[in-house]
Amino acid sequence: MNHDNSHALFQQALDLMPGGVNSPVRAFKSVGGEPFFAKRAEGAYLIDVDGNRYVDYIGSWGPMIAGHAHPKVIAAVDAVMRDGLSFGVPNALEVTMAQTITRLVPSCEMVRMVNSGTEATLSAIRLARGATGRNRIVKFEGCYHGHGDSFLVKAGSGMLTLGVPNSPGVPKTLADLTLTLPYNDFEAATRLFDDLGGDIAGVIVEPIVGNANCIVPAEGYLQHLRELCSKHGAILIFDEVMTGFRVALGGAQALYGVTPDLTTFGKIIGGGMPVGAYGGRRDLMRQIAPSGPIYQAGTLSGNPVAMAAGLATLELIQAPGFYENLEARTRLLRDGLQQAADAAGVAFTTTGVCAMFGLYFREGPINGYADAMASDGARFNRFFHGMLQRGVYFAPSAFEAGFLSSMHGETEIAHTLAAAREVFADIAAG
Ligand SMILES: *Cc1c(COP(=O)(O)O)cnc(C)c1O
């Protein structure tokens, strides 16, 4: 594979942008080597500036559940943009979007559109704090909620010690307000609430952790968090920026039958445009400006072009059998990869829910963050580059989930598995 054009662009970019990229994981730091630059994308494929084609298992980190450049999404954007790109006054598509979200996710009685997942989570914790009059936020090891100061915090040394910033620039006084729990540990959550329950404004959790590879909740764990929050008057926030419309039409909350107070969205609801949203109980959402005193605003929020792309995508995913097909294809991929690894004698396991999956270079089961982190990173990196050379693009990090779209058919999966058989054999050979 020739990468001359990507290489030239990356050399220029390195001088102009931090790390040559506009978001860190794109730089391939964790797997080594250089990123390729996309020229275009169609269906299940990314095509780079050197003309190489890749089966894409990232889908722009989640949004492209209907495949790249879906004709219906492109047509919807095309139609709307001719009437103007932004109005700064309300438009009808915002109402349709709010109707669609509140219908598909009944825990969201009202919704506010924003421009990214980060904005959605920041706004949701402000609302939790404003509504409860409390300051502490609880999050979980391995969960990612965007780059807001309150989330760039890791656990201190004892269970109840205060959070420690994990990025320079995050004030210690703010980090002190973020408490971090081990995901899937029932007892740790109970103890924290017993000690500090009255100070906790809200708990924010990825109901399925997709930012530390892919960790599925233990049976009853989300219910447990629901009960603790209800008992102690804390707001339960499901960060469904990744899982929303990905693991089921109603998101992880529909799949596990747990009702959060607030939910954050992003990725799929924008269909590839920059969009986020948060929604939830009417009595909470009414406290947001201008109907209430908790401030949150956005110049481009509810942008018509973004709404059109999102709505067209939300239309496509409501087709009968959409999730059943996605799940069956993802199963085919996961089972095929497992068989290829087993045949080569490489320790390997997969996790996943519907069209979201994790790959691990170790034996299962994967019950929590420590299990996920114990995957063999060096082996993953060989796998990543071996697959990339064969035209298959998985996430350039051992700790990110992968995604299928409805355009990933048997041809793409067969190509992927043929490549994987060769790569696993190489890895086994040492
Ligand atoms: C991607 C993601 C975010 C951040 O969304 P951005 O649009 O990148 O700001 C927040 N939470 C979760 C769970 C995510 O996967």
Side-chain angles (χ1 to χ4, degrees), residues 102-403:
T102 54
R103 176 167 54 81
L104 296 179
V105 186
S107 74
C108 291
E109 296 173 321
M110 295 181 93
V111 65
R112 167 61 62 83
M113 302 308 297
V114 293
N115 304 288
S116 68
T118 293
E119 250 190 89
T121 57
L122 288 175
S123 306
I125 61 166
R126 181 177 304 143
L127 174 51
R129 284 172 165 154
T132 58
R134 303 171 180 177
N135 284 331
R136 289 186 194 273
I137 295 293
V138 176
K139 68 184 255 305
F140 295 82
E141 222 174 7
C143 285
Y144 177 70
H145 304 293
H147 65 86
D149 285 348
S150 295
F151 304 122
L152 298 182
V153 173
K154 59 181 180 238
S157 48
M159 180 51 208
L160 293 182
T161 53
L162 306 171
V164 183
N166 61 10
S167 165
V170 174
K172 174 82 178 86
T173 45
L174 192 59
D176 284 349
L177 299 176
T178 302
L179 301 159
T180 304
L181 281 174
Y183 182 80
N184 270 345
D185 184 335
F186 287 68
E187 194 45 41
T190 307
R191 260 184 286 133
L192 181 65
F193 269 95
D194 282 346
D195 287 329
L196 291 174
D199 291 342
I200 295 171
V203 171
I204 185 164
V205 63
E206 284 184 78
I208 300 160
V209 185
N211 284 286
N213 213 327
C214 181
I215 310 171
V216 176
E219 170 98 45
Y221 186 62
L222 298 172
Q223 282 83 352
H224 182 61
L225 298 180
R226 174 67 277 175
E227 282 158 23
L228 287 172
C229 285
S230 297
K231 180 170 164 206
H232 294 272
I235 305 295
L236 179 62
I237 306 165
F238 275 8
D239 181 354
E240 298 227 43
V241 170
M242 185 182 289
T243 55
F245 312 107
R246 164 63 57 188
V247 297
L249 192 52
Q253 54 195 273
L255 209 56
Y256 296 106
V258 178
T259 307
D261 301 301
L262 295 175
T263 304
T264 54
F265 299 100
K267 300 189 172 129
I268 289 174
I269 51 162
M273 295 296 285
V275 179
Y278 63 104
R281 276 166 39 198
R282 187 177 299 278
D283 64 302
L284 292 173
M285 293 303 291
R286 277 206 171 126
Q287 298 182 45
I288 295 291
S291 60
I294 301 170
Y295 195 68
Q296 187 272 309
T299 302
L300 296 174
S301 297
N303 174 272
V305 182
M307 295 303 96
L311 283 169
T313 302
L314 294 183
E315 190 67 41
L316 290 167
I317 65 177
Q318 293 178 66
F322 185 88
Y323 288 93
E324 287 78 359
N325 281 333
L326 271 176
E327 179 154 26
R329 301 263 173 75
T330 311
R331 216 348 110 195
L332 204 62
L333 174 73
R334 286 175 55 194
D335 289 350
L337 289 173
Q338 187 68 57
Q339 274 164 19
D342 292 348
V346 172
F348 181 81
T349 194
T350 73
T351 57
V353 180
C354 194
M356 167 176 171
F357 63 84
L359 309 179
Y360 296 87
F361 282 81
R362 57 161 293 170
E363 305 288 347
I366 306 296
N367 293 322
Y369 182 66
D371 291 343
M373 290 304 110
S375 179
D376 185 329
R379 282 192 158 190
F380 173 82
N381 292 352
R382 289 191 57 190
F383 175 78
F384 169 81
H385 282 292
M387 295 303 285
L388 193 68
Q389 277 161 21
R390 290 166 177 81
V392 181
Y393 178 52
F394 284 107
S397 158
F399 307 112
E400 302 283 353
F403 306 108

